[in-house]
């Protein structure tokens, strides 16, 4: 009859009995699950080990596995570097970078194969900027949209 009484009318002793019954049921279910897992592991340990023959040596891909030459993008080692426009004032370490001619915007930023970063103003003055690196260039550049055979072609493409 105590199981049918509302929660508020039960005595403390009845509450403790119900609490321990729930805990006992949960403990029993946990132990049964553990036993089932141990039986499963024991069953798997009796199975024979798979035959792991040494895999065949990887073969070099044939030229037909690659894209045709017209569809291949040049790798980083195939080009002298990358370039992008930087029209806003270039702030490095909290200060606006300016060229010795007074230009402080409309830069062309070059990221060379040796991971150096060079800046070129509209007047054509180019200087290496050691405070910038390839990681900075990659964070701030867009995907490559064109490849150019000469520096002049690239500058023309960027509007310089």
């Amino acid at each position: 009859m105590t199981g049918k009484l509302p929660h508020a009318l039960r005595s403390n002793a009845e509450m403790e009995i119900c609490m321990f019954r729930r805990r006992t049921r949960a403990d029993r279910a946990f132990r049964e699950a553990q036993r089932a897992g141990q039986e499963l592991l024991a069953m798997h340990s009796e199975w024979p080990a798979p035959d792991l023959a040494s895999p065949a040596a990887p073969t070099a891909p044939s030229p037909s596995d690659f894209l045709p030459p017209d569809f291949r993008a040049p790798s980083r080692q195939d080009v002298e570097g990358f370039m992008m426009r930087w029209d806003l004032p270039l702030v490095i370490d909290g200060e606006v970078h300016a060229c010795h001619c007074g230009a402080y915007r409309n830069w062309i930023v070059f990221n060379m194969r040796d991971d150096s970063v060079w800046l070129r103003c509209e007047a054509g003055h180019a200087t290496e900027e050691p405070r910038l690196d390839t990681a900075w260039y990659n964070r701030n550049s867009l995907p490559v949209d064109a490849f150019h055979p000469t520096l002049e072609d690239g500058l023309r493409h960027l509007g310089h």
Side-chain angles (χ1 to χ4, degrees), residues 108-125:
I108 299 293
V109 182
F110 296 95
N111 183 18
M112 305 310 286
R113 186 186 304 175
D114 64 355
D115 293 332
S116 63
V117 175
W118 289 71
L119 301 175
R120 179 182 167 123
C121 70
E122 284 183 308
H125 304 122

Side-chain angles (χ1 to χ4, degrees), residues 1-80:
M1 179 147 172
T2 58
K4 296 180 182 178
L5 289 176
H7 182 69
L9 298 177
R10 292 184 185 172
S11 69
N12 285 343
E14 291 172 334
M15 292 292 289
E16 287 178 13
I17 290 172
C18 289
M19 181 181 69
F20 287 119
R21 285 182 184 161
R22 271 185 258 139
R23 187 180 300 160
T24 304
R25 275 190 297 249
D27 289 346
R28 187 178 317 122
F30 179 75
R31 284 192 304 273
E32 288 172 3
Q34 275 186 325
R35 265 190 240 111
Q38 288 172 349
E39 290 171 5
L40 188 62
L41 287 174
M43 181 177 68
H44 283 302
S45 67
E46 295 171 3
W47 289 356
D51 183 24
L52 299 175
S54 62
T59 58
S62 68
S64 63
D65 293 342
F66 293 115
L67 289 172
D70 295 343
F71 292 122
R72 293 183 208 155
S75 71
R76 184 169 183 80
Q77 301 309 316
D78 294 336
V79 295
E80 290 298 319

